[in-house]
Amino acid sequence: DGPMSSNLYLAAAQCLGSDHVASKLELAVQLHEDLSSGRLTREGEAGTADLIDAGRPERPELVPPNKLAQRRIGTPEGQAALVHAVAHIEFNAINLACDAVYRFRDLPDAYYVDWARVAAEEAYHFSLLQTRLDQLGYSYGDFPAHNGLWELAVKTADDPLLRMALVPRVMEARGLDVTPGMMQRFASIGDQQTVAVLEIILRDEVGHVKAGSRWFHYLCEQRGLEPESTYFDLLARHLGAGIRCPLHKPARREAGFTESELGRLEELCKKS
């Protein structure tokens, strides 16, 4: 991939566009380190913020979500398939974080620091899961996967407010809700190693959703919008308000959801 650019946006684009797993992981970590240590600048020629397709390896094969086989965790293959599914989400999350840095150009410096940190943390999560897959005798790419997360990036490419609402505050918040149940499933087959990895992921993802909440509120304030009604309007408009229960309320509270929002989300998920 060559040396990283000294321009923040070009460096983020380089990580986003990389289709080689090891390079992408390295570039994500580098992006965070270089920005934190002042080696990257937002000045100068950075190209336009066009939608660039996220680079990914040839495998896994991408299929519609309804074409993914439901495997039982009680089999070695089912166990590996579930680890693989989480790894695929983390791989996509690296791209989403890099895209959040690359695409939206007129936010405060702290915004870029947040999302570069998220990119590095998602790369760390992916590498933990990759190691775990390896221990189980599999690799990333051995099972098919779906592209839903990146499709959401494309759908929210024109507006950082929409991106913050739908990616961290819906998709990643959903991760907070489902991870405890996944940990129980792995614990039930005695796989404490995967449980330990998921504990790290859950802890860090609270911070990612919190960053989403922070910048969602910032953008609402900039535009004179009331955050809660804006959030629920966007949910209704873009996701048909399809929210699933149960909600992991303590994690969501820590990640910047208000009691009022949690109450309304619960109402929605009882209906859907």
Side-chain angles (χ1 to χ4, degrees), residues 98-143:
C98 287
D99 188 77
V101 171
Y102 162 78
R103 175 163 323 284
F104 304 117
R105 303 269 167 112
D106 51 356
L107 284 142
D109 287 343
Y111 167 90
Y112 302 96
V113 173
D114 271 347
W115 294 107
R117 187 194 81 242
V118 171
E121 287 178 356
E122 305 291 16
Y124 170 56
H125 297 167
F126 179 85
S127 57
L128 292 174
L129 292 158
Q130 194 178 32
T131 301
R132 190 69 197 109
L133 271 176
D134 195 42
Q135 290 162 347
L136 295 169
Y138 289 85
S139 323
Y140 179 58
D142 285 352
F143 297 94

Side-chain angles (χ1 to χ4, degrees), residues 65-104:
N66 60 359
K67 291 276 187 290
L68 288 176
Q70 292 298 314
R71 293 182 172 86
R72 299 222 331 278
I73 196 171
T75 66
E77 190 187 33
Q79 179 186 3
L82 188 52
V83 174
H84 187 279
V86 184
H88 182 67
I89 290 169
E90 299 299 316
F91 186 81
N92 269 291
I94 302 168
N95 288 331
L96 282 161
C98 287
D99 188 77
V101 171
Y102 162 78
R103 175 163 323 284
F104 304 117

Side-chain angles (χ1 to χ4, degrees), residues 28 30 57 59 73 76 86 93 96 192 205 238:
Q30 194 77 43
R59 299 168 68 235
I73 196 171
V86 184
L96 282 161
Q192 287 308 322
E205 296 290 345
H238 295 278

Side-chain angles (χ1 to χ4, degrees), residues 2 5 12 16 25 27 39 46 68 88 95 103 113 130-131 133 138 166 178 213 231 234 239 243-244 251 265 270:
S5 165
L16 177 60
L25 299 180
L27 288 166
R39 287 193 291 267
L68 288 176
H88 182 67
N95 288 331
R103 175 163 323 284
V113 173
Q130 194 178 32
T131 301
L133 271 176
Y138 289 85
L166 299 191
V178 300
S213 293
Y231 180 63
L234 293 174
L239 297 174
I243 299 291
R244 280 173 291 187
L265 284 168
K270 283 172 187 156

Side-chain angles (χ1 to χ4, degrees), residues 1-265:
D1 284 286
M4 279 195 75
S5 165
S6 62
N7 178 277
L8 169 65
Y9 304 118
L10 294 179
Q14 194 179 1
C15 180
L16 177 60
S18 175
D19 55 9
H20 186 268
V21 174
S23 297
K24 192 183 291 281
L25 299 180
E26 232 168 83
L27 288 166
V29 172
Q30 194 77 43
L31 178 70
H32 177 233
E33 284 175 2
D34 286 351
L35 184 58
S36 305
S37 60
R39 287 193 291 267
L40 290 174
T41 171
R42 293 167 65 187
E43 308 303 313
E45 186 44 52
T48 54
D50 296 331
L51 186 65
I52 46 180
D53 203 21
R56 51 183 173 75
E58 283 178 15
R59 299 168 68 235
E61 178 201 355
L62 297 182
V63 298
N66 60 359
K67 291 276 187 290
L68 288 176
Q70 292 298 314
R71 293 182 172 86
R72 299 222 331 278
I73 196 171
T75 66
E77 190 187 33
Q79 179 186 3
L82 188 52
V83 174
H84 187 279
V86 184
H88 182 67
I89 290 169
E90 299 299 316
F91 186 81
N92 269 291
I94 302 168
N95 288 331
L96 282 161
C98 287
D99 188 77
V101 171
Y102 162 78
R103 175 163 323 284
F104 304 117
R105 303 269 167 112
D106 51 356
L107 284 142
D109 287 343
Y111 167 90
Y112 302 96
V113 173
D114 271 347
W115 294 107
R117 187 194 81 242
V118 171
E121 287 178 356
E122 305 291 16
Y124 170 56
H125 297 167
F126 179 85
S127 57
L128 292 174
L129 292 158
Q130 194 178 32
T131 301
R132 190 69 197 109
L133 271 176
D134 195 42
Q135 290 162 347
L136 295 169
Y138 289 85
S139 323
Y140 179 58
D142 285 352
F143 297 94
H146 72 80
N147 205 28
L149 266 175
W150 184 249
E151 285 162 8
L152 198 53
V154 175
K155 186 173 170 173
T156 57
D158 294 335
D159 184 1
L161 179 80
L162 187 59
R163 171 70 60 89
M164 295 297 116
L166 299 191
V167 176
R169 295 194 100 232
V170 174
M171 297 306 277
E172 289 207 80
R174 178 80 193 128
L176 301 180
D177 299 335
V178 300
T179 302
M182 265 198 295
M183 286 158 74
Q184 283 170 342
R185 289 174 72 191
F186 284 111
S188 74
I189 58 162
D191 181 358
Q192 287 308 322
Q193 284 162 287
T194 302
V195 173
V197 171
L198 291 173
E199 271 169 2
I200 293 169
I201 292 176
L202 181 57
R203 176 200 71 201
D204 292 347
E205 296 290 345
V206 169
H208 302 177
V209 179
K210 195 173 188 172
S213 293
R214 183 183 309 130
W215 295 107
F216 175 72
H217 283 107
Y218 170 85
L219 287 158
C220 284
E221 197 179 323
Q222 292 281 299
R223 299 180 193 184
L225 299 169
E226 195 280 311
E228 185 178 317
S229 55
T230 303
Y231 180 63
F232 284 93
D233 284 349
L234 293 174
L235 280 189
R237 199 175 325 151
H238 295 278
L239 297 174
I243 299 291
R244 280 173 291 187
C245 281
L247 304 174
H248 185 346
K249 286 188 186 166
R252 281 181 177 257
R253 275 187 201 107
E254 206 185 322
F257 281 86
T258 63
E259 288 307 315
S260 172
E261 284 179 317
L262 290 172
R264 284 177 71 172
L265 284 168

